[in-house]
Amino acid sequence: MSQWVEACGAGDIEEEDLIRFDHGGKTYAVYRSPNDEYFATDGLCTHEKVHLEGGLVMDYVIECPKHNGRFDYRTGEALAAPVCVNLNTYPVKVEAGRVFIKIG
Amino acid sequence: MSQHNRDYSLTGRDAQRAVETGLASAEWYHTDVPRKAMKEMMKRKDGPAIRDTVIWLGSMIVLAGIGVALWPSWWSAPFFLAYGVLYGSATDSRWHECGHGTAFKTRWMNDVVYQIASFMIMRNPVTWRWSHTRHHTDTIIVGLDPEIVFMRPPELARILLNFFGVIDAFNAMSAMLRNAFGIISAEERTFVPDTEQPKVIFIARVWFAIYAAVIALAISTGSILPLMLVGLPRLYGAWHHVMTGLLQHGGLAENVIDHRLNSRTVYMNPLSRFIYWNMNYHVEHHMFPMIPYHALPELHALIKDDLPAPNTSILDGYREMWPAVLRQLRYEDYFVRRELPPTAKPYKAEYHQLAPSMLAAA
């Protein structure tokens, strides 16, 4: 059953960056866009399961730190080789300065 | 653990063994770098690569123009030799950096230079993108890394012939013909996804058409001049990229998961660094492939206290590597054991249970 889970404070993520969030045995990536929007995806690259937390956020793109594969973190769409499989994305809301993601 | 009779094929015994023992897609050592500094260095820029590309391609046009004007006089030779290095060596690093997508900020610029460089260095841009991906996943893991140059025991004749591109060009032409006829080899299938294989074939057919046109032009004009401009520079200009490339991993450890053990950083002169696009900072590149070539000196300055001392020159690198390679002719298990400075984090023994010879260094 889906539930909203508090991931972090809104200010814990710099603009155009991401952080890692682990919950219930799974790992996620939570993003803050250059326009101060928040998004969440699975934390591991679909190519070789490297965590995206060390990657580079450019506008709405996350680039994997290992092989430079790229995803649109708003939709999870795989944009550039070597990634071919999309990332799962999760709804996000910000309330009272806290970031929640809907998982489960 | 002795590793006599290594099997470097990607479908062989050691490939299976590497998977079984956890060396495949393993977790590698990384020096701690503050996120803020890392973000700053990872930032993409167009400026440095545009400047370097204008110099690179502009120089090629000028050198080729003079070479053609002086042809067939021997006075054209130095101009062709310089043109050859920009064609047959500088393209190695352009292929590499643009393949990572880090050279330019603008994606299409990366892609255009990647295609041009791939053609000149004779590496199918699709096949080699995936091959290099595997090289970064499983760097110098026997049976998994398709880009190991110094297999043990080293085949010195092959290495020496490649200073003139002979083996590489032959293999590249063979692969191009095979792919152009729609055949993807069993080894290629181990790292090129099914969905990408039609692209391999398409590129091979385009290249085949280009080479056929150049050869036809040479025959019709009764001159090798067209081939001096397209194709042959991959042979007569290959020496620089082989000279620098051999230093990347030559003589160092296999089957370890710490780039400080299997990669080499070498200080080089500015001209070689231009041709090589700073890939002399090779430990740094493997540890953090997100960092563009123009930021590697900055990364090196930041993490060098956690790395083995760099070789001070190309000559110094060869003085370390070459005796080790010669010794590997008789003792396959020999390698250069890299020493860490006192400021570095030690090699993690648990990372190298599968290469017990490394434990002494831990």
Side-chain angles (χ1 to χ4, degrees), chain B residues 130-257:
Chain B
W130 290 94
S131 148
H132 197 65
T133 296
R134 176 72 76 80
H135 173 61
H136 272 271
T137 301
D138 300 311
T139 310
I140 319 297
I141 303 294
V142 177
L144 296 180
D145 185 347
E147 296 184 4
I148 297 178
V149 176
F150 274 121
M151 299 176 183
R152 303 185 202 169
E155 296 178 49
L156 293 188
R158 187 175 64 85
I159 299 289
L160 294 174
L161 283 171
N162 257 342
F163 272 90
F164 305 99
V166 176
I167 305 293
D168 279 350
F170 177 79
N171 289 340
M173 290 293 109
S174 303
M176 182 188 74
L177 289 172
R178 187 181 66 247
N179 293 157
F181 281 100
I183 301 167
I184 306 290
S185 72
E187 295 234 327
E188 287 165 347
R189 288 178 192 281
T190 68
F191 54 83
V192 182
D194 292 347
T195 53
E196 297 285 295
Q197 290 170 14
K199 297 178 189 170
V200 174
I201 293 168
F202 173 75
I203 292 285
R205 287 173 178 166
V206 170
W207 286 15
F208 180 77
I210 294 171
Y211 285 117
V214 174
I215 291 168
L217 183 63
I219 292 170
S220 65
T221 58
S223 167
I224 66 163
L225 185 56
L227 287 162
M228 288 295 289
L229 295 169
V230 178
L232 288 179
R234 176 62 180 81
L235 303 181
Y236 67 75
W239 64 271
H240 189 279
H241 96 260
V242 176
M243 175 185 73
T244 51
L246 292 179
L247 289 169
Q248 292 177 356
H249 308 285
L252 302 180
E254 291 176 334
N255 292 343
V256 293
I257 49 177

